[in-house]
Amino acid sequence: MKQNAIGWFDIYVNDMERAATFYQSVFNTQLENLGDPTDNRVIMKSFPTDMAHYGAGGALVKREGAGPDTGGTIVYFGVEDCSVEESRVSRHGGKVMNPKMSIGEFGFVSVCMDTEGNLFGLSSMK
């Protein structure tokens, strides 16, 4: 079976409530509590996910021994127009690192930092 390279992502956090509030506010969505598939020490809140549709699902994760890291892998969230979500980042405690910019025929991207110090991207065709 052929599939895309990314099937799931974890965004590590130190303060789950702060991080959940940030992402819910920026993306105007509700995260869902996700049961820990391995043990009782991991707290997870997932982004709305429909595995039957294109794209990867993912979650905020609080796990002992793992935490946020700046400069690692960047997850780009697909949105209608980067400028909409980008406009919510600073007022909810994050930082816009690189404002919306053209990437030619591939549309536009913004790079931001969340309340935990993780970099994340926004990607749109508008």
Side-chain angles (χ1 to χ4, degrees), residues 25-66:
S25 298
V26 169
F27 291 107
N28 196 28
T29 193
Q30 203 57 33
L31 300 182
E32 301 172 12
N33 289 327
L34 185 63
D36 177 10
T38 59
D39 60 42
N40 293 324
R41 297 178 301 175
V42 178
I43 300 168
M44 301 175 77
K45 287 189 179 275
S46 69
F47 290 88
T49 303
D50 181 346
M51 299 308 267
H53 285 87
Y54 174 79
L60 302 180
V61 179
K62 182 174 172 133
R63 177 190 308 262
E64 189 174 317

Side-chain angles (χ1 to χ4, degrees), residues 49-104:
T49 303
D50 181 346
M51 299 308 267
H53 285 87
Y54 174 79
L60 302 180
V61 179
K62 182 174 172 133
R63 177 190 308 262
E64 189 174 317
D69 185 28
T70 303
T73 301
I74 298 179
V75 173
Y76 284 82
F77 291 90
V79 296
E80 179 90 15
D81 182 341
C82 294
S83 62
V84 173
E85 287 76 9
E86 180 185 299
S87 72
R88 299 179 188 140
V89 169
S90 295
R91 69 177 177 227
H92 292 289
K95 295 178 186 173
V96 176
M97 306 305 285
N98 292 335
K100 182 179 176 180
M101 61 186 162
S102 173
I103 53 171

